[in-house]
Amino acid sequence: MTLPSTIAAPVQHRLEVKRSVFLAHLAPVASVEDADAVVAAIRKEHWDARHHCTALVVGPQAERQRSNDDGEPAGTAGAPMLEVLRHRDVTDLVAVVTRWFGGTLLGAGGLVRAYGSAVAGGLDAATLVDRVHLTSVAVDAPHAEAGRLVAYLHQWADNHHAVLDEPEYGASARMSLQVPPELVATLHADVAALTGGAVMPVDGETRVVDRPR
């Protein structure tokens, strides 16, 4: 299943249209409450601006969505901002576009273009990260086998879009991997073949993980 991507860190983009300044602030968030806190902080920081229009998408499949025109004509600010986020297939982020009025009315079409362009410019400047499902798999082995297994699992992870964590050494050596769910059975078979069935991986939970592009 393909999941929407998100942004790695907050980003700003400034746009000027007929002396009106549009400052887009995009930030990654984990919840609607986080998004509300970002909006409140920007309102406080830029208290002298006339409008702080918002759009947010939250959830693994961007299932929670909201926008606000904040005093602009209905449908000219928040909606086009949200449409850009939908079109770019992103989630878990909030976009706030702060506007300082420049004295010239832009009209409905001009506002739609300005607010949408401000958010699009912010996304263009952002670093995107992909969201993927990965299953945690633990491989425990005697210390004598650890070196050979770690070398093998490093190569296996590189070839199968998996992630190998740093080994942990206790009574035995534990190698932990984050594996695409559809490749867990392949990992089991490959480890069994390498060790003659002496080592059996143990599967953990499957969760959504950010993976830099």
Side-chain angles (χ1 to χ4, degrees):
M1 179 190 301
T2 301
L3 297 173
S5 57
T6 191
I7 61 176
V11 65
Q12 289 188 347
H13 176 72
R14 184 180 185 278
L15 177 70
E16 187 169 339
V17 182
K18 295 182 179 178
R19 293 189 295 177
S20 277
V21 173
F22 298 82
L23 181 64
H25 180 95
L26 279 62
V29 294
S31 66
V32 172
E33 291 74 22
D34 285 353
D36 289 342
V38 170
V39 175
I42 291 173
R43 284 185 178 278
K44 184 176 180 180
E45 179 181 1
H46 300 302
W47 57 268
D48 57 331
R50 178 174 290 191
H51 306 283
H52 302 279
C53 303
T54 60
L56 67 89
V57 282
V58 174
Q61 295 289 349
E63 55 267 29
R64 301 189 69 180
Q65 303 182 0
R66 193 172 74 191
S67 65
N68 189 320
D69 295 314
D70 194 39
E72 294 283 28
T76 63
M81 291 167 60
L82 183 58
E83 185 57 32
V84 171
L85 300 182
R86 289 172 175 162
H87 180 71
R88 295 290 190 95
D89 196 25
V90 291
T91 191
D92 286 346
L93 68 85
V94 60
V96 184
V97 177
T98 299
R99 181 192 180 191
W100 289 267
F101 183 55
T104 301
L105 296 176
L106 303 183
L111 290 173
V112 167
R113 287 189 295 273
Y115 280 101
S117 296
V119 173
L123 285 174
D124 289 342
T127 299
L128 294 177
V129 293
D130 291 325
R131 288 284 179 78
V132 294
H133 284 107
L134 293 178
T135 300
S136 179
V137 181
V139 180
D140 291 331
H143 289 282
E145 292 289 321
R148 184 169 70 114
L149 262 173
V150 168
Y152 176 79
L153 292 175
H154 264 300
Q155 185 178 37
W156 194 95
D158 288 343
N159 292 334
H160 294 86
H161 303 291
V163 178
L164 177 64
D165 299 331
E166 284 295 319
E168 299 176 5
Y169 296 98
S172 61
R174 166 161 289 194
M175 284 68 72
S176 299
L177 298 94
Q178 312 303 319
V179 182
E182 67 275 13
L183 294 177
V184 169
T186 300
L187 175 63
H188 279 251
D190 290 346
V191 170
L194 178 71
T195 65
V199 174
M200 299 294 293
V202 176
D203 300 340
E205 65 178 358
T206 299
R207 56 195 177 91
V208 176
V209 176
D210 291 346
R211 185 169 64 189
R213 291 185 174 180

